């Protein structure tokens, strides 16, 4: 019996056992550095572009192992929260540095967000500004009316509704509108970079809303004029750098005027 088994060819015995591949053998042959570079470049697009191999929408990051994750269809990827997680994966030091650059725009803000634009900073800047405008707008009204008659003052909840509608709408719709306009006129901007830039441009209004509590109307107008001018200058400089080589000054000027108009709206409605 033993001699009969020994006479069988070795390949025949191995043929009945399925081959087992280790995870290392199943990985694609491209170097890890190439995959990481491709993932970083996809962060500049919104929504992130599909992988080089096609097959539908793929979130930013290194490609999964074959068979581990089912390929997502294009429409499912847009509604997958995990697909947008890389835009919120940012260190505190990076956010602080970008906040400083938004107040002092001479340092080249666009170059700082070129490789890894984030949505974390813009989201919290806009949300914080909404609550500060609603609260400080009511408090500023109280400070102005306490000298006359406090009986006619009451907390206006409508400030919060207006602040949320205007700030969220401005931070989302305005960058998207200029993105399509710039594309129409031949430029190739990045939508996620526009959202990032416009979101950080609102940061200067947070300290300004504190200063606007000063119950002196002349100082309030000086503060809002300086704030609106600085924020408009920030938008103009970075848009010009984004569209280098294209003559789109009318669009850049329009964006700056719109930013200054936002500052005037904050003064007239919340700190009148």
């Amino acid at each position: 019996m033993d001699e009969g088994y020994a006479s069988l060819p070795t390949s025949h015995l191995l043929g009945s056992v399925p081959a087992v591949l280790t995870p290392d053998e199943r990985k694609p042959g491209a170097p890890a550095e190439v995959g990481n570079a491709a993932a970083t470049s996809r962060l500049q697009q919104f929504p992130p572009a599909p992988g080089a191999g096609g097959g539908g929408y793929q979130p930013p990051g290194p490609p999964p192992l074959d068979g581990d994750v089912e390929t997502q269809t294009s429409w499912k990827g847009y509604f997958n929260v995990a697909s947008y997680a890389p835009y919120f994966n940012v260190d505190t030091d990076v956010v602080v540095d970008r906040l400083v650059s938004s107040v002092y725009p001479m340092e080249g803000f666009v170059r700082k967000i070129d490789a890894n634009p984030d949505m974390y900073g813009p989201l919290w800047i806009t949300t914080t500004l909404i609550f500060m405008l609603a609260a400080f707008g009511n408090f500023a009204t109280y400070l102005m009316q306490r000298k006359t008659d406090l009986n006619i003052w009451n907390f206006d909840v409508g400030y919060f509704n207006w602040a949320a509608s205007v700030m969220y709408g401005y931070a989302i719709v305005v960058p998207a509108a200029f993105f399509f306009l710039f594309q129409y006129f031949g430029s190739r901007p990045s939508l996620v970079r526009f959202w990032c830039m416009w979101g950080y441009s609102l940061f200067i209004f947070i300290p300004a809303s504190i200063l606007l509590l000063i119950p002196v109307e002349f100082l309030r107008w000086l503060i809002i004029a300086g704030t609106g001018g600085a924020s408009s200058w920030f938008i103009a400089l970075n848009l010009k750098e984004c569209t280098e080589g294209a003559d789109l000054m009318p669009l850049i000027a329009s964006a700056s005027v719109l930013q200054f108009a936002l500052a005037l709206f904050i003064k007239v409605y919340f700190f009148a």
Side-chain angles (χ1 to χ4, degrees), residues 126-145 152-168 209 212-213 217 220 265-272:
T126 308
T127 304
T128 303
L129 182 60
I130 289 170
F131 281 96
M132 293 187 72
L133 289 178
F136 290 166
N138 276 282
F139 190 50
T141 306
Y142 167 79
L143 293 177
M144 296 295 289
Q145 292 185 0
I152 63 174
W153 180 86
N154 58 351
F155 189 88
D156 190 356
V157 183
Y159 276 18
F160 178 80
N161 297 330
W162 271 99
S165 301
V166 172
M167 292 304 144
Y168 280 140
S209 64
L212 288 173
L213 289 175
E217 193 67 12
R220 285 182 174 181
F265 171 80
I266 290 174
K267 168 64 182 73
V268 171
Y269 188 83
F270 296 100
F271 299 94

Side-chain angles (χ1 to χ4, degrees), residues 41-59:
S41 64
R42 290 198 296 273
L43 289 177
Q44 302 181 22
Q45 305 176 13
F46 189 89
Y57 182 94
Q58 295 179 0

Side-chain angles (χ1 to χ4, degrees), residues 102-106 226-240 252 256 259-260:
S102 68
V103 179
Y104 185 73
M106 300 299 181
T227 303
S231 185
S232 300
W233 184 248
F234 171 80
I235 290 292
L237 283 181
N238 288 284
L239 282 180
K240 188 175 181 181
I252 296 175
S256 300
Q259 191 80 0
F260 194 83

Side-chain angles (χ1 to χ4, degrees), residues 44-267:
Q44 302 181 22
Q45 305 176 13
F46 189 89
Y57 182 94
Q58 295 179 0
L65 300 179
D66 295 340
D68 289 350
V69 179
E70 184 179 355
T71 303
Q72 295 173 308
T73 60
S74 58
W75 66 271
K76 287 183 179 179
Y78 298 144
F79 300 99
N80 187 359
V81 177
S83 301
Y84 306 103
Y87 296 121
F88 295 86
N89 185 18
V90 60
D91 295 333
T92 304
D93 296 339
V94 175
V95 174
V96 171
D97 181 59
R98 293 177 178 182
L99 291 176
V100 174
S101 298
S102 68
V103 179
Y104 185 73
M106 300 299 181
E107 296 183 356
F109 183 83
V110 171
R111 290 192 296 271
K112 292 186 176 182
I113 67 171
D114 188 26
N116 58 336
D118 73 281
M119 292 289 100
Y120 179 85
L123 175 63
W124 283 109
I125 289 170
T126 308
T127 304
T128 303
L129 182 60
I130 289 170
F131 281 96
M132 293 187 72
L133 289 178
F136 290 166
N138 276 282
F139 190 50
T141 306
Y142 167 79
L143 293 177
M144 296 295 289
Q145 292 185 0
R146 72 173 183 174
K147 299 177 181 178
T148 55
D149 187 7
L150 284 178
N151 294 326
I152 63 174
W153 180 86
N154 58 351
F155 189 88
D156 190 356
V157 183
Y159 276 18
F160 178 80
N161 297 330
W162 271 99
S165 301
V166 172
M167 292 304 144
Y168 280 140
Y170 185 89
I172 296 173
V173 176
V174 171
F178 276 98
F179 167 76
F180 290 113
L181 285 173
F182 275 63
Q183 278 203 328
Y184 178 78
F185 287 102
S187 181
R188 291 294 178 266
S190 168
L191 178 57
V192 69
R193 271 195 279 176
F194 270 26
W195 273 333
C196 181
M197 180 184 66
W198 251 279
Y200 278 99
S201 73
L202 300 177
F203 171 71
I204 195 172
F205 291 105
I206 293 179
S209 64
I210 301 175
L211 296 176
L212 288 173
L213 289 175
I214 301 174
V216 179
E217 193 67 12
F218 175 72
L219 288 178
R220 285 182 174 181
W221 279 109
L222 286 181
I223 292 168
I224 203 64
T227 303
S231 185
S232 300
W233 184 248
F234 171 80
I235 290 292
L237 283 181
N238 288 284
L239 282 180
K240 188 175 181 181
E241 190 170 349
C242 284
T243 60
E244 188 174 356
D247 186 14
L248 298 174
M249 284 306 298
L251 285 179
I252 296 175
S254 301
S256 300
V257 171
L258 195 59
Q259 191 80 0
F260 194 83
L262 176 66
L264 294 180
F265 171 80
I266 290 174
K267 168 64 182 73

